[in-house]
Amino acid sequence: MSRTILVVDDEANVRLFLRELFQEDGWMVFEAGTAKEGIAEARKQCPSIVLLDLLLPDADGLALINEFKGIDKLTEVIVITAVGTVDNAVQAMKNGAYDFITKPFDIEKIQAVHRRDSILPSSAENL
Amino acid sequence: MRRSKRIVSLILFLMVGVVFSTLLVFDWSPLGIDKSPRLHESLRGSAASAPVHPASAEVWTQAQVKQLLNLVYLLVIIILGTPYLILLFMTNLLKRMNAVRQGIEHLQVEPTHRVHPVRGELNNIVTTINDLAGNAVFFESFTRYLLDTIYDGVLTVDTAGIVQTANSQFLTIFSTSKPEVINRDAGELFSGGVAEIISDALHHQRFHVDRTVRWKETALRVYSRRIVNNDDRILGLLFVFRDITLMMQYEETLRHQDRLAALGEMAIGVVHELKNPFTSIRGFLQLIQRSVHEDDPQYRYLGLVHDELNRIDSILNEMLDYGGSSKLSLTLHDLRTVIDQLVSQMRELYPNLTVRVNTIGSDFTLQFDSPKMRQVFLNLLTNCIEAGTSAIDIKLSETEREVVAEFKDYGEGIPEDSIEKVFTPFFSTKPEGSGFGMPVCQKIIGSHGGTIRISSVVRQGTQVEVRLPRTSGALEHS
C-alpha cells in the first residue's frame, strides 16, 4: 500500500518543497496548482492525505474540504494557509479538516503531521 | 380742562335748579305739583275768584308761604344733592380707572397677568388691553420657545451692538447666562474669532456665512446677517453659532478609521503575497540546514538566516493581526482571570520582574473576545518589559458601566513627540518593533467599544489605560 499525498497549492515552490520533504519520507506525491486540478487529481489517485491551501486562484479552500472528503471519505484534508486566523482554523475544522497548519511551516511540524498520519492508511485498512 | 368742564356742568345744573324753583314759586308749574286751594279755585273757573287774584298778589297767604318753603326745601335738596351725586359718580369712576391703571402696571411687570374686569363701559377698554397683552405674550413666548428649540446658538444685537436676544443653545455653547449677556455690549463679551465676526458685522458691515471659528475647546460654524424690516430699515444683527466640535471629531475619527482600514487591507495583501515565497525560502533553508553538519561554519550562518526569517515572520503575523478580521466572538468572561493567567506566565518567564495586581471592586465579568483581549494585554505587558522596567503595576477597577485596566511600568518612557504616533501602524519606538503592537491593541479595544489611552514620562515610565464598557457585548448582539 503506497502512501499518497496530494499537494494543492498555487505556489510552485511551496509544492516543490513539500514534494521533497514527503518523498524523502517515502510518500508518493501528487501536485495541483488549482482547485479544479486538485479535484481531478484526487478522483484519479484517491490520496490518503490532501494538503490544501486555503487561497486558491479558482476557489476558496474552505469550501473544498467537503469535496475531497466526498471523493474518498478516508482522505484526510490538512489545511495549509498563510492566513492563520482563529476564524479560519475553526471554520476549517468544522468543515472536516484533519489539521490546520500555518505558513511558513517548520519541517518538524509537517513531518509530525504526516508521520502521525502515516498510521492512517494502515488503521483505515484495519477497519 | 376736565375739571373746568365739570364745574361748568355743575353751574348749569344749579341754574336749572334755580329756574325750576322760580317757576314753582310763581305758580307756573308745568309739573302740577302745586296742590294749593287757590289753584283748585281757578280750575273750577268761579267768577268770585277773580277779585281775589290781585289781593293774593299783594298778600301772602299761609298756604303760599308753606308752598314757598316747600320749594326752598326742594331747592336746597337739589343744590346739595346734585354735587353729592356727582361726587359719588366721579369717585366710583376714578376707582375703576385706578383699578385698570394698576392692572396695566402689573401687566407691564408680569406679561401673563390680566387686568381685572370692571363695571360699565370701561370694561371694553379692559377687554381690549387684555386681548392685546395676550397676543404680545403669545408672540413673545412663542418666539422664545422657537429660539430655544433651535439647535444652533442664536444671538441678536441692536444697531449699537447691545445684546437683545440670546437663546438657550447660545448660553450653553458659551457657558454663560442671560443676565451676563442681555443688554451688554456684544463687542466686549467675546474675544478671538467670535469677537472678530461681531466686529465685522457691527463696524464694517461685513457678514459671514459658514465661517469656522474656535471658542475655547469648541469649534463653531458661524453666520451673521442683518435683521431688516419691510422698509429695509436695519433693526439689528443676527448671529448663528453651530457647535461642530463633535462633527469634526467624528470626521477626524472616520478619516482615521478609513486610513487604518486601508492600511489594514494593504497589510493583509502584503502578508499574503509575502507568505508564499517566504514559506518556500524557509522550507528550502531548513532542507539545506539538514544537509549541513553542525561543525560547518555555514551551519551557523544558516541558523542566523533562519532567525532573521523568524523575525520577518513575526512582523508579518502582527500585520495580519492588525489587518485581519475585526469580527469578535463575544462571550462572558472574567477579565481578571485573563490578566491573572498572563501575570503568572510573566512571573514564570521573568523571575526578576515584580508584577503587582491591585483590584478595586469585584465584578470584572463582561462580554469580550477572550483570545483577542489576551493578545491586547500580552502586547501591553510585552511593551512594559521591553521598556526595561523592573516592576509592573496593574490596576483593575470597575463601575456599573465599565471595567478599567491600567498598566504602569517604570521603564524608559516614550518621548512626548512620539506618544501620539504609537497607535499609527509601522511606527515603533523600539529598534526591533514592528509598529503593530499598539495599533492592534487599539483596534481590538475599539471593536469592543472601549478606549485605550497612553501617557508617558521619559525615564519615569509609561501608563496605559484600557476602558471597556459593559454594554459592548449587548450592542454587538443587538
Side-chain angles (χ1 to χ4, degrees), chain A residues 24 83 103-104 106-107 111, chain B residues 272 275-276 282 286 290:
Chain A
E24 217 175 73
V83 195
K103 288 179 183 176
D106 284 316
I107 290 181
Q111 280 178 333
Chain B
H272 277 167
K275 278 260 174 167
N276 279 324
R282 225 176 71 147
Q286 283 173 317
R290 288 206 304 190

Side-chain angles (χ1 to χ4, degrees), chain B residues 6 45 75 82 85 157 160-161 210 215 221 234 254 260 269 303 309 325 363 380 429 433 454 461:
Chain B
R6 235 182 277 163
L75 200 64
T82 311
L85 282 174
V157 302
D210 278 350
W215 174 257
R221 188 157 290 165
I234 299 167
L254 270 180
L260 293 187
L309 285 176
S325 160
D363 180 18
L380 295 180
T429 53
I454 185 165

Side-chain angles (χ1 to χ4, degrees), chain A residues 41-60:
Chain A
E41 201 68 17
R43 287 216 173 91
K44 233 190 296 176
Q45 311 297 345
C46 288
S48 34
I49 297 177
V50 173
L51 281 176
L52 176 65
D53 185 22
L54 283 189
L55 277 169
L56 291 168
D58 57 342
D60 174 13

Side-chain angles (χ1 to χ4, degrees), chain B residues 12 31 37 42 101 140 142 183 185 195 264 285 305 327 329 344 425 467 475 478:
Chain B
L12 273 171
L31 301 170
S42 68
R101 190 178 58 83
E140 197 196 307
F142 183 77
N183 292 329
D185 189 341
L285 175 78
V305 174
K327 208 168 67 188
S329 78
S344 57
R467 287 179 173 271
L475 286 174
S478 62

